[in-house]
Amino acid sequence: SNKKTFWLISSLIIFLILLSTNAFHKTINQRQKLITIYDIPNAFAIDFIEGNKIQTFSTKDSIEYHTENFRVKHGATELTNLKNLYMNNGFIKFHNKRLFVLNKISDLKQLNESSIEIDILIYNAFGKLPIEDLQKYFKFSHLIISSRVPIAAKNFVYENYNKSIVKISEGMVIINC
């Protein structure tokens, strides 16, 4: 009888610990606001995660193979249009973060040389990285360079540029909002 009581109480305690751990993780996931930038071979994608809701910007349709594990890990299961996300011609605002995705150098010609203030510039254009030109158009605190930029150009920027360069490691960069 004492053994049964001991095992019953032990089982209940373990069950309560597991239940509270699960509830804690769900609460954390519901409060999360993340921007995940993926550098996928021959593609580029950004996930905007708010709680368990997600909206994706991608240059390719089939990216799930590269993104699914991260989404599941963070409980982002509901594809939807997020109300706190604004996207227009490369400009993105998600909560307190302002980003610009530059996909073609020619996109710069559509802008005024007025040093637009953004938090993160994502350079996804193919070819040489015109850092001086970028500084004419943008004031940014972080620069993310995709794999479309040749290694030599990236290395030059890493060695000679004093801004915070965010290297995409393991195929992604995660930004908290």
Side-chain angles (χ1 to χ4, degrees):
S1 170
N2 282 343
K3 283 185 178 184
K4 286 183 181 180
T5 306
F6 170 77
W7 287 112
L8 179 63
I9 291 173
S10 297
S11 299
L12 283 173
I13 290 171
I14 291 171
F15 175 74
L16 288 174
I17 290 171
L18 291 173
L19 187 64
S20 62
T21 302
N22 187 32
F24 174 76
H25 286 293
K26 281 191 175 195
T27 302
I28 296 295
N29 283 350
Q30 288 301 318
R31 293 182 182 168
Q32 69 185 347
K33 296 175 188 105
L34 301 173
I35 300 170
T36 307
I37 302 161
Y38 301 96
D39 200 9
I40 301 166
N42 301 315
F44 180 78
I46 305 174
D47 277 347
F48 301 93
I49 299 174
E50 187 175 65
N52 69 337
K53 297 177 180 158
I54 185 169
Q55 186 171 341
T56 299
F57 164 82
S58 176
T59 58
K60 211 175 195 184
D61 289 335
S62 57
I63 60 165
E64 284 74 25
Y65 174 78
H66 302 280
T67 61
E68 193 65 29
N69 285 340
F70 182 80
R71 292 173 178 175
V72 169
K73 177 182 175 186
H74 288 274
T77 55
E78 184 183 336
L79 285 170
T80 187
N81 289 326
L82 299 173
K83 64 181 179 181
N84 291 310
L85 176 63
Y86 170 79
M87 293 192 287
N88 186 19
N89 294 327
F91 287 98
I92 300 169
K93 184 169 186 327
F94 184 60
H95 290 278
N96 64 341
K97 296 292 182 197
R98 294 164 296 157
L99 299 84
F100 185 80
V101 179
L102 184 64
N103 287 310
K104 295 183 288 195
I105 298 294
S106 59
D107 291 347
L108 288 175
K109 295 181 174 102
Q110 300 170 9
L111 304 171
N112 295 326
E113 289 186 23
S114 61
S115 292
I116 301 163
E117 288 194 34
I118 56 175
D119 297 303
I120 301 164
L121 175 61
I122 301 168
Y123 190 81
N124 190 41
F126 183 75
K128 185 179 176 237
L129 187 69
I131 211 73
E132 295 80 21
D133 291 339
L134 296 177
Q135 289 177 313
K136 291 178 191 173
Y137 294 96
F138 302 103
K139 286 182 185 173
F140 52 92
S141 54
H142 293 83
L143 174 64
I144 296 175
I145 306 170
S146 83
S147 62
R148 295 181 69 196
V149 177
I151 297 291
K154 278 188 194 180
N155 288 339
F156 174 80
V157 172
Y158 292 149
E159 292 167 9
N160 298 297
Y161 190 59
N162 61 359
K163 294 271 187 203
S164 177
I165 309 291
V166 180
K167 294 182 181 181
I168 297 182
S169 63
E170 297 181 20
M172 72 173 72
V173 171
I174 304 164
I175 300 159
N176 286 303
C177 296

